[in-house]
Amino acid sequence: MKIGICCFPTVGGSGIAATQLAIELAKKDHEVYLISYDTPFLLRSSRHPNITLELVDILSYPLFKDIGDPYTILAASKMVELVTREKLDILHIHYAIPTGVSAYLTKLITNVPVVITAHGSDIHILGVDPSYNSIISHAFQNVDGISTVSKFMKKEIYDKFAKNQDVRVIYNPIDIEKYQKIETQICDFRLQHDTNFVHVSNFRPVKDTPFIVEAFAEVLKEKSDLGLILVGEGPERKKCEELACKLGIRDNVIFQGVRSYIAPIYNCATALLSASKNESFGLTLAEAMACETPAIAPRVGGVPEVIDHEVNGYLYELGDKNSLVDYMIRLLNDEELKNRLGKAGREKVVNNFSGSEIAEEYIKWYKKVLND
Ligand code: GMT
């Protein structure tokens, strides 16, 4: 098939998931056209023969200084040109805002079948906002298919938008070769502590990373010489650094910024920690689990579809720091428990989120959409 996939090029989960899907489809000999305004993060370090990058031109014009460049229209122009030139079979949009609307316009002009995958805040933060709601609802009701990344999100979409529409749940694809247990550590930085916890996020307030720093400080009271590796960048990074200083644990908190290859970091951790107040799936949880590193996360959104409590990780009630600390200490003190949960986590990911299998599910869905 000739498939256009549109995504954000940044480290955010929707862009990573979309690019991983593109890679898996390309491996299966489909011709993939990746539409974005920059090279997607996962493609910056590798190339794939069946993937063509189609960059949206960002034309700046003085009149748009206050409102920003009209990306919806610029992306739609690129899509119309691409669909017409390459005669695409289907356009698949990741993250409904704003390019779901670009694709809907493209469909009106070219008649190309369009499917949208909703990922999270495009529904529960932006999509429900009256500033976006009417146009996003209309687009959802008029494209050829909607999918999303968890059963939780499917319910959100039913409740808030597409009551009469069939929403397909397809979990996010994980590269199970890249994310696996590595016996020899090859971190590109010096590990300062023998035992570490890890947190990977974009430090937005929804991730509540300061909560992780506070919980870690409690664990340090029980056991010293531990590291907390914080991967990523974002608005609350500085707040976390200040908090670590205030709590007197700055030497134990290692800020690693954005990394292109984090499998070794997952591998050197006793557990991956999350404090997200909302998470439609939680890509980093599944990546860590694929490396046999158990994840501990709040019982919110689609997280219980990824972590099975006490089977392959731990779920705690949002804000319940005592439980988070308790689970961290349990894993620190019991290597056998950590290994058992870790192995079960890998099994869960291989059986449910393997990139190759998820790509097959998307292909089946595309075919159904095209035949309906
Ligand atoms: O929706 C967002 O907040 C951003 C989005 C992204 O592009 O990073 O994240 C969402 O999509 C990811 C991939 O499907 C999921 O793993 C994240 O759980 C989800 N984020 C939220 O729901 C907050």
Side-chain angles (χ1 to χ4, degrees), residues 8 10-18 94-95 117-125 148-150 152-153 170-173 202 204 206-207 276-285 301-303:
F8 284 97
T10 46
V11 276
S14 65
I16 299 291
H94 285 262
Y95 203 87
T117 296
H119 279 270
S121 54
D122 48 353
I123 298 299
H124 48 65
I125 299 179
T148 193
V149 298
S150 58
F152 159 79
M153 277 291 291
I170 304 181
Y171 288 120
N172 279 319
N202 47 25
R204 283 183 299 158
V206 70
K207 304 291 177 183
S276 270
K277 295 173 190 163
N278 201 350
E279 205 67 75
S280 60
F281 179 85
L283 212 50
T284 61
L285 308 173
V303 172

Side-chain angles (χ1 to χ4, degrees), residues 33-49:
Y33 296 83
L34 250 179
I35 307 154
S36 197
Y37 60 86
D38 198 357
T39 307
F41 189 72
L42 284 189
L43 287 190
R44 290 181 199 164
S45 48
S46 63
R47 285 284 170 271
H48 296 266

Side-chain angles (χ1 to χ4, degrees), residues 220-287:
L220 268 179
K221 287 180 192 161
E222 303 288 321
K223 211 171 161 90
S224 57
D225 195 35
L226 302 174
L228 173 64
I229 304 175
L230 298 178
V231 180
E233 264 304 334
E236 292 205 323
R237 198 199 74 91
K238 194 157 169 36
K239 188 171 166 186
C240 290
E241 195 166 352
E242 285 164 2
L243 181 62
C245 292
K246 193 171 137 212
L247 295 170
I249 60 167
R250 180 64 188 85
D251 287 348
N252 299 78
V253 182
I254 302 103
F255 291 89
Q256 277 301 320
V258 173
R259 319 292 304 189
S260 57
Y261 183 47
I262 45 178
I265 308 183
Y266 291 131
N267 263 277
C268 69
T270 298
L272 172 93
L273 310 177
S274 164
S276 270
K277 295 173 190 163
N278 201 350
E279 205 67 75
S280 60
F281 179 85
L283 212 50
T284 61
L285 308 173
E287 288 172 356

Side-chain angles (χ1 to χ4, degrees), residues 95-121:
Y95 203 87
I97 300 176
T99 51
V101 177
S102 315
Y104 169 61
L105 291 174
T106 306
K107 180 178 171 57
L108 290 180
I109 298 167
T110 65
N111 221 14
V112 68
V114 168
V115 292
I116 299 179
T117 296
H119 279 270
S121 54

